[in-house]
Amino acid sequence: MHSAQELVSQIEALTSLPDVYDRVREQLESPTGSVAEVARLVAADPALTARLLRLVNSAMFGYRGRIDSVDRAVQLLGLQQVHDLVLAMSLHAVFAGVRPARLDMRRFWHNSVLNGLASRAAARQAQMASSERLFVIGLLADIGHLVLYQTVPELAAEALAAATHDDEALDAAERRIVGCDFAEIGAALADRWQLPPCFAGAIGTQLRPRLGGEFSVDAAVLSLSRCIVGAEAANSASADAAAQLDAGTWELLGLAPEQLAGIREEAELNLAAYLALFFPTTARSARTPPKPA
């Protein structure tokens, strides 16, 4: 049996966040953090500069091509949002060396971006102040599966088979067969990367939001977004997806099941554009299936 910390340690040699992210995080956490210094750090990386400017001028932010300098972008976005976007834009490169034979990486990132978009849309519906950060947390919510398929692929496949054929919840099968589930692993990786506490708090309790303490609402957002990703993959109705969430999760969010369809529509509408921004090679395989009633 394996612990989440053991599996994260095994993959750590292949995955480390870039130096520019660490330095941006230092500025965010410092009481004397400087917008000018963050702009300088980003501007020193030409590829990151190009991606950030492309992103800030996209429909995501609505500036429509008017932002032509990193300094202006950082001033408009603020330190926290630049921190989160640098993290999101780093993920593809961070996991470039991780190529699990049993995991379709294009589908994995497709689902992860949709999860992030659904999380952001749900947070907006719930009128949460952290809706943009929820996009990044949602993007990372399934990262534990990537660790599982890289470190213990046979056990991960066995757990998936049990969930598929034996009507067992996937997280329960993972705990029984591996010793821990993807949510625990994702939280352990967020801790290892020293991300803000809300990342590990929400990711670790996304399957049981009521246990999330101060992060229970964030965890409930991830629980809802998981249902949307599952519905998109199965091409199933939004009403069926909404029925998967218990009343307690809806209560945490302050939303009604009827609102899931609109959240799903917003997320799926933006999927292709966001894949192109964050994972351009994956965007070529993105599909937008007709949504069932």
Side-chain angles (χ1 to χ4, degrees), residues 6 24 26 41 53 58 81 101 131 134 139 172 227 238-239 242 248 261:
E6 288 171 346
V24 168
E26 288 172 3
L41 291 170
L53 290 177
S58 72
Q81 196 157 2
S131 61
L134 257 299
L139 191 63
C227 292
S238 295

Side-chain angles (χ1 to χ4, degrees), residues 11 79 107 163 177 229:
I11 202 173
L79 293 184
R107 172 50 59 177
I177 294 168
V229 172

